[in-house]
Amino acid sequence: MAYILTHAEFDTVLQRLKQDYILIGPVRKKNKGKFSDADLITYGQIESLSDLETNGKSQFSAKETIFPPSQTLFYFTEDEYREPKFEPQKQIVFLRACDFNAIKRLDLLFLENGQFVDAYYKRLREKTHFFVFGCEKSYENCFCVSTGTNQCEGYDAFLNFKGEKINLFPSEPFKRYFAGYEENEDILPQFIERNHIQVDIPEGLSTKIYDHPYWDQYGKRCIGCGRCNFSCPTCTCFTMQDIFYRDNKNAGERRRVWASCQVDGFTDMAGGHSYRKQQGERMRFKVMHKIHDFAKRFNMHMCVGCGRCDDVCPEYISFSQCISGLKGVVAHDN
Ligand code: SF4
Ligand code: SF4
């Protein structure tokens, strides 16, 4: 069941939704991109449909709406601590199918990963609803069809932009915001069916690949900047920072902040030890986590094929080419 609305009509629906929710989606920031005259598409609050940028891939993903880059876990003094008094507002997040599939991976990691439930994540997640919009075309470096994440279900609403019109598929609880508009039964959601890049994730990957010279090329090329991790919708590593206030050095707050497995210091331990000193080892860890380790626990690959790691890498390192090359290595060694 779908509603077919004009942009102005959907704007009316958005104004109704705004009475109950904060609206967040990709927004375009002029001249804030990686070159002086390039725009940045990132996540931000939207007031109307004209703020929502659907023509282009965002550099950052929607993960920051439920897993912020910096989050205070508790405040402390010398003799007590307390959690922040924080009641998140209800929010609707607009995102693409690959990114909605990435949210499912975050849910597994933060909510269903053994017995521990991450209360900070849960608090934001429970207040968040997702409106998925279909891609009108495949963008540079996307390979979501290969990872099976071009399609999705379980969203709160789905949108297909069709020129002057929008096909809208709201879930039952959100239909009340469409009151006054007519439903049409004959239309189904449309997902992108083809990317320019196809990736064949190798079967039979194992830890035998760890010591293979294949990874050495990345030791020479990767500069360990961590951009790939921060743009990735499924990277969830974080580190802790204790902040001590200037006016009272015995008081402060503990924050968790995003971390990157590619940067120096990520695996440093007390005593001066470090697990992965070479960039090639770090690349191996990242790749194996995305297309091997995660699936062993959760029966799905972590990577959703958004291609953002390729989009942002200053060294033009391609994740999809790395996977394709790996297939050849596995075939040769078996
Ligand atoms: S590894 Fe790269 S392609 Fe895969 S989900 Fe992360 S950013 Fe997207
Ligand atoms: S973005 Fe590229 S250069 Fe930077 S850490 Fe990732 S792979 Fe290495």
Side-chain angles (χ1 to χ4, degrees), residues 116-129:
F116 179 73
V117 171
D118 189 298
Y120 297 93
Y121 178 87
K122 185 166 178 256
R123 206 179 301 169
L124 281 165
R125 181 68 179 85
E126 285 177 342
K127 298 280 183 166
T128 307
H129 297 272

Side-chain angles (χ1 to χ4, degrees), residues 218 221-229 260 262-263 279 283 286 309 312-317:
Y218 299 104
R221 292 173 62 198
C222 173
I223 58 170
C225 64
R227 290 178 74 164
C228 47
N229 298 116
S260 160
Q262 303 301 294
V263 304
Q279 287 307 138
M283 181 74 177
K286 180 178 71 176
C309 48
V312 301
C313 179
E315 296 299 307
Y316 302 103
I317 290 171

Side-chain angles (χ1 to χ4, degrees), residues 86-142:
F86 168 58
E87 188 53 43
Q89 288 180 267
K90 291 194 294 181
Q91 57 182 355
I92 288 173
V93 177
F94 290 83
L95 74 181
R96 297 179 187 278
C98 62
D99 287 340
F100 183 62
N101 280 302
I103 299 292
K104 292 185 179 177
R105 275 108 176 120
L106 300 196
D107 287 350
L108 289 171
L109 276 163
F110 284 113
L111 303 176
E112 296 174 41
N113 194 7
Q115 294 181 339
F116 179 73
V117 171
D118 189 298
Y120 297 93
Y121 178 87
K122 185 166 178 256
R123 206 179 301 169
L124 281 165
R125 181 68 179 85
E126 285 177 342
K127 298 280 183 166
T128 307
H129 297 272
F130 295 102
F131 280 22
V132 179
F133 57 93
C135 300
E136 291 169 72
K137 62 176 184 180
S138 179
Y139 293 94
E140 190 179 7
N141 298 321
C142 295

